[in-house]
Amino acid sequence: MAKKLAIEWDSHSLRMVVGRQRGSSLVVENALHFPLAKPGEEVDKGTLESRLSRLVTEQANAHGLSKLPTLVGVSRSSVELQVFSVPPVPDDELPDIVRYQAMREFSSLGEDGVVDFIKLGADADGKLRVHAAAIASKQLKSIQKICEKAQLQPQSLSVRSFGSAYFAASQSRFADSTFLLVEVLDERIELTVVHQGDVLFSRSTRLPGEPGSEHQTTTLQGEIRRTMFAAQAKGVPTAVSQIVILGEPLAPAIWKKFGEDLKVSVEFLAPMAAEHVSGSVDVSPEIASQMGALIGILLADAASLPKIDLLNPRRRPDPPDRKRLFTLGALAAASVVLFFGYFLYSGISSRDAEIEELKADIARLQKENKPLVVEEEKVLEIDNWVASDVQWLDELYRMSKELPTADEMIATRIHMQPGNSAGGTTSLEGYVADQSVIGKIEAGLIGENHAVLGKGTQERSYGDAYSISFQEYVTITPDGTDRFAPRDYSEETEEAASEEPAADEPAEEETQQPEPDATEVVAEEAPAAAEPKAEVSTEEEVAPTEEATPEPTAKETAAQPADVASTTGDAS
């Protein structure tokens, strides 16, 4: 999110915090503190306002803060705060009821003063409790004048004690408790009672003595006692269980004993090192302890929670302008009538001509497209046949590659048949040397589009090497591959070239017989009485070769490569 400026001042100092929201956390980019008067110096109101206006303008220009969205915090001494009850009324009537009650409760409000409030819930009598804040019109105009001279863009005007309360309540260890928040600001302190995130009581008073001195600590503890008693008298529903002091721990032993006397715990909260706050701004602990309210104002603005905003107070909604509403309704009705009248008058006469023209176009297109429709039907039939058929040459290649070698098995019959609608079946019969070879055969035949069903085995000899006959049934489903799509043979060519022996390497002694022709199906020699006929068939019969190829001997068959021997058998 875009960075924003939070600013506040009192009669002694000016404080600024520049931050950028990141999720639920605030990244502090700059924290500034400037004194307006020397310690013990008394400055009249006119001089102080002139000095403040000049200082804000100078620092805003020096740090590039002009025209930044600005959230202004006003000190507790500059506003009036009061918790009171009002009758339960609808929300749109509540601002008038609260203002009427505030005119009676606040002494310096005046007719042109500004009032805003937060709802706190119902009391025991069913009335609505609100926490209202009021600021005089003269004070509000003075704040706006200072921001305008420094070219700042104020978006809200919050009570600083509410910002401090929201900051402390955002910490997980204080979220659901009732605590007294203590802020030491130069020569005064602000004391705020917070119950589950709601501000119930707030007061501000001067604090004499040197910062951190024993006299100042004793005076501060006395003010804390008085605030706790005043909060109980104001009807705070729950007793204070914690005292939260903004800043670094000072004299922890003294404060621990003070908490034991009041039967409460005393906690210290450093604003620059708290939860939901990050940044690398280098400020002294005394200055950092005064930035809690501005950090809380920035966090509350990003959270979009109900808060007091004296720059944009809650007001009764303006009543709707019924005269304007009736005028707009009459104009809309007249426009609708005129539109439909024009549509009916100008549209009907042209629709008939358009319909006739479209009919002629349809008839012409149907006549032109009739031959194309016939050809399209033929092409679809061919595509369906190609998609459902099996690529039998690929199946033979797969079997010769995946089945065991001739030392372990011999195939005597391979029957391939396309299915009725799609896919096909392959029946493989043969002999193996050992029962364990059956598992290798089935593992080689099974695949993504291949289901294997064994038909059993029998102890039958075939020659000297094979003693068990088998039969496997393979169901093939189409894989959707387009057999007529162009293939890239570059990788196959490179692979074949890489397998060729180098020119300077001696060729291995040829001990194997040359491969038989691809159309041959070979079986090893066996006794004539036990020799079954090998059969390879598809839907079309294979034409016999012109010359009979002599059967290889068992020794020659064993020397053949695995991809050929796995499909051997008598030629059918």
Side-chain angles (χ1 to χ4, degrees):
M1 296 179 63
K3 64 181 180 180
K4 292 186 178 182
L5 167 67
I7 181 173
E8 57 142 338
W9 59 81
D10 51 28
S11 59
H12 292 87
S13 59
L14 166 68
R15 291 171 285 275
M16 296 178 173
V17 171
V18 179
R20 186 189 305 272
Q21 196 70 22
R22 182 177 295 169
S24 60
S25 300
L26 177 71
V27 180
V28 178
E29 297 186 357
N30 205 351
L32 306 171
H33 176 275
F34 306 100
L36 291 171
K38 297 179 181 179
E41 180 185 3
E42 295 293 336
V43 183
D44 61 89
K45 190 173 182 180
T47 304
L48 181 64
E49 183 174 336
S50 174
R51 187 180 299 178
L52 176 63
S53 178
R54 182 174 64 256
L55 181 60
V56 171
T57 303
E58 291 175 355
Q59 298 304 324
N61 293 333
H63 294 86
L65 306 178
S66 299
K67 298 182 180 180
L68 271 184
T70 305
L71 311 177
V72 183
V74 59
S75 64
R76 171 66 181 85
S77 59
S78 301
V79 297
E80 291 187 274
L81 292 173
Q82 186 71 37
V83 177
F84 51 78
S85 300
V86 296
V89 296
D91 288 346
D92 57 346
E93 299 179 12
L94 191 57
D96 289 344
I97 299 297
V98 172
R99 183 174 180 83
Y100 175 76
Q101 186 72 14
M103 295 288 291
R104 300 172 55 187
E105 299 286 344
F106 298 142
S107 58
S108 59
L109 176 60
E111 293 292 336
D112 53 354
V114 177
V115 178
D116 199 16
F117 62 92
I118 294 178
K119 295 190 292 185
L120 298 179
D123 58 12
D125 299 330
K127 293 184 178 181
L128 181 64
R129 297 172 65 248
V130 298
H131 200 156
I135 186 171
S137 176
K138 185 177 180 180
Q139 182 75 15
L140 179 61
K141 290 179 180 178
S142 174
I143 294 173
Q144 291 175 323
K145 183 179 178 181
I146 292 172
C147 293
E148 182 180 357
K149 186 175 181 181
Q151 294 185 338
L152 300 178
Q153 302 175 5
Q155 293 185 340
S156 66
L157 180 61
S158 307
V159 182
R160 72 172 313 280
S161 56
F162 280 74
S164 302
Y166 180 82
F167 164 66
S170 68
Q171 309 302 300
S172 57
R173 51 180 171 155
F174 308 132
D176 299 323
S177 62
T178 301
F179 59 89
L180 173 62
L181 182 64
V182 181
E183 293 181 89
V184 181
L185 305 170
D186 297 325
E187 296 182 358
R188 75 183 168 87
I189 58 171
E190 288 197 358
L191 303 163
T192 307
V193 177
V194 184
H195 172 66
Q196 295 181 354
D198 292 328
V199 177
L200 302 183
F201 181 72
S202 180
R203 60 185 291 263
S204 176
T205 184
R206 292 181 63 86
L207 186 65
E210 293 294 329
S213 64
E214 182 178 355
H215 174 61
Q216 188 183 69
T217 302
T218 303
T219 305
L220 176 58
Q221 292 178 349
E223 293 296 337
I224 290 174
R225 285 191 177 93
R226 280 190 287 274
T227 303
M228 294 176 66
F229 294 148
Q232 293 179 359
K234 290 288 185 179
V236 174
T238 307
V240 173
S241 60
Q242 291 176 305
I243 296 175
V244 181
I245 302 175
L246 293 186
E248 299 290 340
L250 298 174
I254 297 176
W255 284 105
K256 182 178 180 181
K257 185 177 184 306
F258 177 71
E260 292 174 352
D261 294 340
L262 295 179
K263 297 181 180 180
V264 297
S265 64
V266 179
E267 305 282 347
F268 288 87
L269 177 60
M272 292 298 182
E275 292 181 47
H276 313 299
V277 180
S278 62
S280 57
V281 180
D282 186 16
V283 293
S284 65
E286 295 80 8
I287 301 303
S289 65
Q290 302 181 29
M291 300 299 178
L294 296 179
I295 293 175
I297 289 173
L298 288 168
L299 287 172
D301 178 74
S304 301
L305 297 174
K307 52 185 175 292
I308 289 180
D309 184 359
L310 296 171
L311 193 63
N312 306 288
R314 293 167 178 81
R315 303 182 186 276
R316 173 191 283 268
D318 295 332
D321 188 354
R322 298 190 179 276
K323 181 178 179 181
R324 184 169 178 268
L325 182 63
F326 292 152
T327 303
L328 292 176
L331 290 175
S335 300
V336 171
V337 171
L338 290 174
F339 172 76
F340 277 103
Y342 175 77
F343 176 77
L344 293 174
Y345 176 77
S346 61
I348 293 176
S349 59
S350 61
R351 290 297 183 267
D352 292 337
E354 186 178 351
I355 291 172
E356 293 299 326
E357 183 179 353
L358 292 175
K359 286 181 178 180
D361 291 342
I362 292 173
R364 177 176 54 80
L365 292 174
Q366 288 177 341
K367 184 177 180 180
E368 293 176 355
N369 293 341
K370 189 174 181 179
L372 297 178
V373 171
V374 175
E375 294 299 325
E376 183 181 11
E377 292 176 353
K378 295 179 180 179
V379 171
L380 290 176
E381 290 181 1
I382 295 173
D383 289 343
N384 292 335
W385 178 81
V386 170
S388 63
D389 195 16
V390 178
Q391 300 187 31
W392 298 108
L393 291 178
D394 289 347
E395 293 300 322
L396 285 173
Y397 173 76
R398 178 178 178 273
M399 291 174 64
S400 66
K401 183 178 179 182
E402 301 295 339
L403 289 177
T405 63
D407 294 336
E408 297 178 299
M409 70 154 284
I410 185 170
T412 58
R413 183 175 183 272
I414 301 175
H415 180 76
M416 298 179 173
Q417 179 177 354
N420 294 330
S421 58
T425 58
T426 299
S427 175
L428 174 63
E429 299 178 8
Y431 293 82
V432 295
D434 186 79
Q435 183 68 32
S436 61
V437 183
I438 301 298
K440 296 181 180 180
I441 296 174
E442 293 181 347
L445 292 176
I446 198 169
E448 182 178 356
N449 300 301
H450 298 73
V452 179
L453 176 63
K455 293 296 186 176
T457 61
Q458 293 183 4
E459 292 187 1
R460 294 175 58 188
S461 298
Y462 184 80
D464 297 331
Y466 313 105
S467 59
I468 299 173
S469 67
F470 70 90
Q471 183 178 6
E472 298 291 337
Y473 187 81
V474 184
T475 303
I476 306 168
T477 56
D479 58 0
T481 304
D482 185 2
R483 72 177 66 182
F484 299 108
R487 295 178 58 184
D488 185 6
Y489 294 95
S490 59
E491 295 183 1
E492 297 179 7
T493 304
E494 293 176 1
E495 181 178 357
S498 64
E499 294 178 356
E500 292 181 0
D504 55 350
E505 293 182 1
E508 296 182 1
E509 182 180 354
E510 296 183 1
T511 59
Q512 297 182 353
Q513 296 295 330
E515 286 190 10
D517 190 271
T519 60
E520 293 179 353
V521 180
V522 184
E524 292 188 0
E525 291 184 353
E531 180 179 357
K533 293 293 184 176
E535 179 181 344
V536 178
S537 61
T538 61
E539 287 298 309
E540 298 180 2
E541 295 185 358
V542 180
T545 57
E546 293 182 0
E547 297 182 2
T549 304
E551 291 185 358
T553 64
K555 182 178 179 180
E556 293 173 344
T557 304
Q560 290 179 359
D563 59 344
V564 176
S566 60
T567 58
T568 58
D570 289 342
S572 60

